[in-house]
Amino acid sequence: MSKVLLLAVFLSSLLPAETLRVMTFNVRYPNPGDGANVWSARRDLFVETVKANAPDVMGTQELFYEQGQYIVEKLPGYAWFGVSRRGNHEDEHMGVFYRKDRLRVVDSGDFWLSTTPERAGSSSWQMSLPRMVTWALFEARNGGAKFLFLNTHFPHRDVDEAARVKCARLLAGRIGLYEDDLPIVLTGDFNAPAAGGAYAILSPLMKDAWKELHPAREEGTFHGFRGTPRADRIDWILYRAPWKVTSAEIITTHNSALYPSDHFPVLAVFELP
């Protein structure tokens, strides 16, 4: 091996590895009944939480259009996209945010968790509300590497367990349609613990970023603006890719009794090959 090539190999080993920072964050819709934690009171703390953790891509749930617009107004390095679960901008979105300097959207779209996935606003399985997935095919601006990103919010009631299983089956079928070598990331509020029916369907197909680093530990993510979460981790970051998880955190940022949301966000950092 020539000295020039040896030097190039040595220098490349000193460069920091390429990383991808992924966050899932249930925003909590702007409910006027949230008292001290109404959106107008916590929105700047929400923005600061995102800014401090600097995700390259973030899947949100319960996002209203005005919330999405406020976030990108305050964080102009980000863009976001998505439609509401009714197929317009008049309800909750599964909004996807991304850093414009790091990622480019190649393609994007939405489908519904129902027996008619392409019909906007459709709902099945006795769910009380339409549920959906917003997705994008991203390309890294620096080198052209592509990955598929999906973001969702499963039904929330105790009686919806069978529906959550059907949602997971539909998602698993969609994921199975893609080429095996395409990296895929799935974020969401699954309204179920990282065990049980829905998780059992998705976990054979995708790794759980949290469990890659914390295989024997669980922490809750929903806390209802109280700061003390329930036992179950219902917000997940799953992935199918030859990537290494270097960090997986549940972010508990707050300012006294003020919280950015009623869920703690989850952040995973991936080292890309």
Side-chain angles (χ1 to χ4, degrees):
M1 186 179 291
S2 71
K3 291 182 179 180
V4 173
L5 185 55
L6 280 170
L7 179 61
V9 171
F10 173 72
L11 290 175
S12 66
S13 70
L14 297 180
L15 295 174
E18 183 67 24
T19 61
L20 182 72
R21 300 175 66 85
V22 177
M23 180 177 273
T24 185
F25 207 157
N26 184 313
V27 175
R28 173 65 171 177
Y29 72 99
N31 179 6
D34 281 340
N37 281 281
V38 293
W39 173 246
S40 60
R42 62 185 171 86
R43 61 186 184 180
D44 290 329
L45 182 57
F46 185 97
V47 167
E48 287 303 314
T49 303
V50 175
K51 183 179 180 180
N53 291 282
D56 297 307
V57 60
M58 176 175 72
T60 66
Q61 304 85 37
E62 292 194 30
L63 181 84
F64 268 61
Y65 183 77
E66 58 265 33
Q67 293 175 300
Q69 294 300 94
Y70 186 84
I71 294 165
V72 294
E73 175 189 339
K74 297 299 181 179
L75 297 173
Y78 287 88
W80 81 280
F81 60 87
V83 300
S84 83
R85 60 190 175 195
R86 309 290 179 181
N88 52 30
H89 288 306
E90 298 174 4
D91 205 329
E92 298 172 13
H93 299 60
M94 303 303 105
V96 175
F97 293 74
Y98 64 97
R99 276 182 52 177
K100 295 182 288 186
D101 64 330
R102 294 291 313 277
L103 300 172
R104 183 176 72 86
V105 177
V106 178
D107 195 7
S108 66
D110 311 274
F111 60 88
W112 275 258
L113 298 172
S114 74
T115 56
T116 53
E118 310 309 323
R119 197 178 82 204
S122 58
S123 183
S124 302
W125 314 312
Q126 290 78 53
M127 296 188 298
S128 60
L129 295 163
R131 300 291 177 171
M132 64 179 296
V133 174
T134 294
W135 62 268
L137 180 64
F138 283 109
E139 181 178 66
R141 289 192 178 276
N142 62 351
K146 294 180 180 178
F147 66 93
L148 182 70
F149 185 85
L150 304 103
N151 178 54
T152 192
H153 189 186
F154 277 13
H156 66 289
R157 302 174 303 171
D158 290 344
V159 297
D160 288 326
E161 177 57 22
R164 285 189 287 271
V165 167
K166 290 183 183 294
C167 291
R169 286 176 180 158
L170 193 156
L171 252 177
R174 289 281 178 135
I175 290 167
L177 295 176
Y178 290 94
E179 298 85 351
D180 292 341
D181 59 351
L182 176 67
I184 299 177
V185 178
L186 170 63
T187 62
D189 170 2
F190 293 86
N191 275 310
Y199 191 83
I201 291 166
L202 293 168
S203 57
L205 304 176
M206 311 186 82
K207 296 178 182 179
D208 182 337
W210 175 264
K211 285 195 172 181
E212 287 297 293
L213 291 190
H214 313 291
R217 191 173 100 226
E218 283 294 347
E219 293 183 20
T221 51
F222 175 76
H223 61 91
F225 293 121
R226 292 181 296 273
T228 302
R230 297 177 183 173
D232 296 328
R233 178 171 56 92
I234 65 174
D235 301 272
W236 314 336
I237 298 175
L238 307 182
Y239 71 102
R240 189 193 78 180
W243 300 346
K244 177 183 178 182
V245 183
T246 61
S247 178
E249 301 177 66
I250 294 171
I251 309 298
T252 60
T253 299
H254 62 98
N255 182 2
S256 188
L258 184 67
Y259 291 86
S261 178
D262 60 344
H263 287 239
F264 290 137
V266 182
L267 175 72
V269 181
F270 298 96
E271 182 179 301
L272 309 187

